[in-house]
Amino acid sequence: MDPATFSAQINPARPLLLLDADEVLLRFVEHLEAYLPTRGFELRLTSFQLGGNIYDLSTDARAEGTVVKDLLASFFDDCTHDVPLVDGAREAIESLKAHYDIAVLTNVPERCRDARMANLRAHGLDVPVIANRGEKGPVAAMLAGATDGPTVFVDDLPPQHASVAAHAPEVYRVHFIADPRLAPMLEKADDAHVRIDDWPTLERHLITRLEG
């Protein structure tokens, strides 16, 4: 779904929840880690980034940027349809639907949007999926402008929180990293309002904010 189409469907009287997919709803890094050896490479989680942490198994050399880009493109083409769900996400989303309009704002390639939506539906999450490119601030600002209620943005990447803060400072920003190996590698994003890394806690937090 394109942002304009979803924006026209937003109920202006309801709060809006915008969710990233990878490492918020879906266990992206874990699935990528299992995929790379099928292509002759290995992910070594020494820092919170992919570039510089993928190695050629045949040479033990760090993969060049162009190789990493190609590997990620192949991963999205081959695996977008079957990425595992983060623990607790389905139950929390079902609960939060009573309080928020919900959409997934993800930087999945446009060609893989339908596969991502099918993946989420297979996990019991029937929510709109918006395929974004680059920074998410402009789209978040447009969507937040379609409701008179509060908007919440959840993402694992600090630069995306900075983008939303710059374009839509009124949006409440939650820094969330699902993978317990990755989460300790980053402090709370400077431009996020809060850091929460599990769905039961996030569900309670978001409902309490509306009640309070």
Side-chain angles (χ1 to χ4, degrees):
M1 181 178 294
D2 67 88
T5 299
F6 177 69
S7 178
Q9 298 176 1
I10 292 173
N11 183 339
R14 280 173 58 82
L16 176 63
L17 177 58
L18 301 175
L19 301 170
D20 185 26
D22 297 322
E23 293 310 320
V24 172
L25 292 172
L26 298 170
R27 285 148 45 193
F28 167 80
V29 170
E30 176 185 316
H31 206 45
L32 176 66
E33 192 175 22
Y35 172 78
L36 286 174
T38 70
R39 299 295 304 274
F41 290 84
E42 178 181 59
L43 177 63
R44 301 176 186 173
L45 292 175
T46 59
S47 61
F48 191 86
Q49 60 181 10
L50 296 178
N53 286 333
I54 295 177
Y55 288 78
D56 188 321
L57 287 171
S58 65
T59 64
D60 205 41
R62 183 178 287 129
E64 298 292 335
T66 54
V67 174
V68 172
K69 183 178 179 180
D70 289 343
L71 287 169
L72 289 176
S74 296
F75 173 79
F76 279 117
D77 287 336
D78 296 344
C79 300
T80 298
H81 67 285
D82 66 353
V83 183
L85 195 66
V86 171
D87 290 346
R90 181 175 58 253
E91 297 82 0
I93 295 301
E94 284 307 307
S95 171
L96 289 167
K97 279 183 176 180
H99 306 273
Y100 290 84
D101 280 348
I102 300 174
V104 176
L105 180 57
T106 174
N107 275 9
V108 69
E110 175 63 32
R111 68 184 185 277
C112 300
R113 188 192 71 87
D114 288 348
R116 169 137 292 174
M117 187 163 58
N119 182 203
L120 291 170
R121 284 179 175 170
H123 291 305
L125 297 181
D126 189 5
V127 291
V129 175
I130 300 168
N132 185 69
R133 291 187 64 185
E135 60 175 317
K136 296 181 179 178
V139 173
M142 183 186 75
L143 298 178
T147 178
D148 296 324
T151 298
V152 177
F153 172 80
V154 184
D155 203 286
D156 66 316
L157 298 180
Q160 295 296 6
H161 287 282
S163 175
V164 173
H167 292 274
E170 74 281 6
V171 170
Y172 186 72
R173 300 174 297 278
V174 180
H175 190 194
F176 188 110
I177 302 174
D179 193 309
R181 301 166 300 169
L182 293 174
M185 295 180 182
L186 278 187
E187 298 292 333
K188 180 183 78 67
D190 290 341
D191 294 288
H193 292 96
V194 67
R195 171 71 176 267
I196 297 172
D197 292 329
D198 70 273
W199 271 103
T201 303
L202 179 57
E203 176 193 353
R204 291 191 299 270
H205 179 74
L206 294 182
I207 293 173
T208 300
R209 286 196 80 248
L210 292 180
E211 294 174 343

